[in-house]
Amino acid sequence: MSPYAGSMYHGSPLLLSLLGPLTVKRIDGQPSHLLCSLVFVAADILNSLLIRATGQTLQIAYRQSLRSLDLDMISETMEILPSGDIAALIYLWNPFTIAACVGLSTSPIENLAIMLALYGACKRLVPLAAFGWVMATHLSLYPIILIIPIILLLGNGPDTPRKLFLLRRHVYVLLLCGVSVKRYGGLWEMFTSMYGFILTVQDLSPNIGVLWYFFAEVFDFFRNFFLIVFHTNILFMIFPLAIRLHHRPCFLAFVYITISSMLKSYPSVGDSALYFGLLGWFVYELSEMKFSFFLFCVYIGVSLLSPVMHNLWIWRGTGNANFYFATAMAYACLQIVLVVESVSAMLNHDRKLRKLSSAKLQDGKS
């Protein structure tokens, strides 16, 4: 029987092949979900290691660029803030990461594919970057926009990923999926059950996003129109941000991940855990970001109020959908403020470096 025959499973057949046998195997005296939990814990540990390694690479590259601009004093102060270690600790001990792992969400595996792509791009390992990007796109579709920062990271060197190369990796993943779903159905059934389910927002169960409430209230006559509006909203932001932040591809990837986690059909706390970890890469550049303490406090408040409102509405029946939707709206607004303020702080930091560099050149000439 096909796993896509009903309405219970809408994930990748590769994930089903990996996690399905683990749900059947049991260890005597242990919970049935123990083996799956260990897989998610291992994925989170690998994510933190990749975040740390990528952060160290970014810090070395940033320090070298400062020295090339004769800004050695700033380069020396960066020794106090190891951004790679900070980012890994933020991701590993983030309550959102722990909640996603305890809730047996597949987001750690999706985050692992994204981190493989970013790590491979930073290390200029084209096969790893291509494989990670294709796997991340296959698992959740939205990482397809990360192709722009990945290409920018790889640069215009001899190992630039060609279109044919990425196509080969994509065909390879499709071949694996075809083998996995051969006995269940076919690739078309997989596409309609996975990506069609994402794009059409069929499940209106409450989550931390805002689309479930909107499409529960909108008239069916306007449903297709607003589906196009919400999905193209992400696409409208891609190229302006790429033009403005092309010199910082890793920060561009952070912005893309934050925007997609805010506007995707079925967001989870695991998505927020990833961009919070990536935020630690830029702990020095974003040290002057405005409203940082306000964002921190409101994030904590929303994180505490959201399960309370969900309990009041779903389980106790003493509230209504507006209780929980208010926290979801506040959460979306916080993500918008985070993106705007972080981009503004990064641009101000780059502007400050340019001024310091030009002032030093003028002093040298005089």
Side-chain angles (χ1 to χ4, degrees):
M1 182 178 178
S2 172
Y4 302 118
S7 60
M8 292 297 295
Y9 187 73
H10 297 278
S12 168
L14 298 180
L15 279 181
L16 186 63
S17 302
L18 173 65
L19 301 178
L22 298 180
T23 59
V24 179
K25 295 180 181 179
R26 295 188 179 183
I27 303 177
D28 295 336
Q30 300 295 333
S32 59
H33 56 77
L34 177 63
L35 295 178
C36 286
S37 301
L38 292 177
V39 172
F40 296 140
V41 170
D44 278 331
I45 293 175
L46 287 176
N47 284 332
S48 64
L49 294 176
L50 291 174
I51 289 175
R52 181 177 182 270
T54 307
Q56 290 176 346
T57 303
L58 291 177
Q59 189 171 10
I60 293 172
Y62 181 60
R63 190 182 297 117
Q64 290 175 351
S65 65
L66 288 178
R67 289 173 181 172
S68 65
L69 295 173
D70 294 331
L71 300 177
D72 297 330
M73 185 172 62
I74 299 179
S75 178
E76 292 175 358
T77 58
M78 285 190 62
E79 299 290 345
I80 308 174
L81 300 172
S83 59
D85 296 339
I86 294 175
L89 290 175
I90 291 175
Y91 178 81
L92 200 58
W93 298 106
N94 193 329
F96 290 162
T97 307
I98 299 173
C101 189
V102 172
L104 300 180
S105 172
T106 58
S107 57
I109 300 178
E110 298 171 2
N111 294 342
L112 178 60
I114 294 175
M115 285 312 306
L116 284 175
L118 294 179
Y119 173 78
C122 286
K123 293 293 186 178
R124 300 180 67 85
L125 301 174
V126 181
L128 182 61
F131 178 77
W133 174 75
V134 171
M135 284 301 301
T137 303
H138 166 68
L139 293 176
S140 58
L141 185 63
Y142 289 95
I144 191 174
I145 62 178
L146 294 179
I147 186 62
I148 296 178
I150 288 174
I151 291 178
L152 292 175
L153 276 172
L154 290 169
N156 297 320
D159 52 352
T160 301
R162 295 172 182 160
K163 187 175 181 180
L164 179 60
F165 185 84
L166 289 176
L167 183 61
R168 287 175 180 173
R169 288 297 181 273
H170 209 164
V171 170
Y172 180 66
V173 173
L174 287 179
L175 180 62
L176 290 177
C177 295
V179 173
S180 300
V181 303
K182 184 178 180 180
R183 53 176 176 169
Y184 300 130
L187 286 176
W188 180 250
E189 185 181 7
M190 183 197 72
F191 287 142
T192 55
S193 299
M194 283 183 58
Y195 307 131
F197 185 75
I198 293 174
L199 296 176
T200 57
V201 196
Q202 299 175 13
D203 188 4
L204 301 180
S205 301
N207 52 54
I208 61 173
V210 295
L211 297 189
W212 64 271
Y213 187 88
F214 182 84
F215 285 106
E217 299 292 334
V218 73
F219 292 106
D220 292 336
F221 179 78
F222 299 103
R223 180 180 175 85
N224 293 332
F225 170 75
F226 283 107
L227 281 174
I228 297 174
V229 169
F230 276 104
H231 289 308
T232 54
N233 195 15
I234 300 178
L235 301 178
F236 287 151
M237 303 181 190
I238 292 178
F239 294 106
L241 288 171
I243 294 172
R244 194 65 182 91
L245 298 172
H246 65 92
H247 60 290
R248 289 194 177 269
C250 277
F251 183 74
L252 180 63
F254 157 76
V255 174
Y256 281 173
I257 292 172
T258 307
I259 292 175
S260 63
S261 65
M262 176 178 57
L263 296 176
K264 68 192 307 185
S265 302
Y266 311 105
S268 68
V269 292
D271 303 321
S272 302
L274 179 61
Y275 70 72
F276 273 130
L278 301 187
L279 187 64
W281 285 347
F282 317 102
V283 63
Y284 180 79
E285 293 91 329
L286 302 181
S287 58
E288 298 181 0
M289 186 176 72
K290 298 179 181 178
F291 309 116
S292 56
F293 182 73
F294 169 77
L295 287 173
F296 176 76
C297 294
V298 180
Y299 260 112
I300 293 178
V302 170
S303 302
L304 295 176
L305 283 176
S306 183
V308 173
M309 297 302 176
H310 187 274
N311 190 329
L312 289 175
W313 173 35
I314 299 296
W315 300 108
R316 297 184 179 273
T318 56
N320 54 40
N322 294 325
F323 283 59
Y324 184 72
F325 181 66
T327 60
M329 282 292 294
Y331 190 71
C333 292
L334 287 176
Q335 289 173 314
I336 294 173
V337 174
L338 176 63
V339 170
V340 172
E341 293 301 326
S342 60
V343 171
S344 177
M346 181 63 73
L347 295 178
N348 289 335
H349 177 77
D350 293 339
R351 194 177 298 112
K352 178 181 177 182
L353 291 181
R354 286 196 298 268
K355 290 181 179 179
L356 290 175
S357 178
S358 59
K360 205 158 192 178
L361 286 176
Q362 291 178 358
D363 293 340
K365 291 179 180 179
S366 60

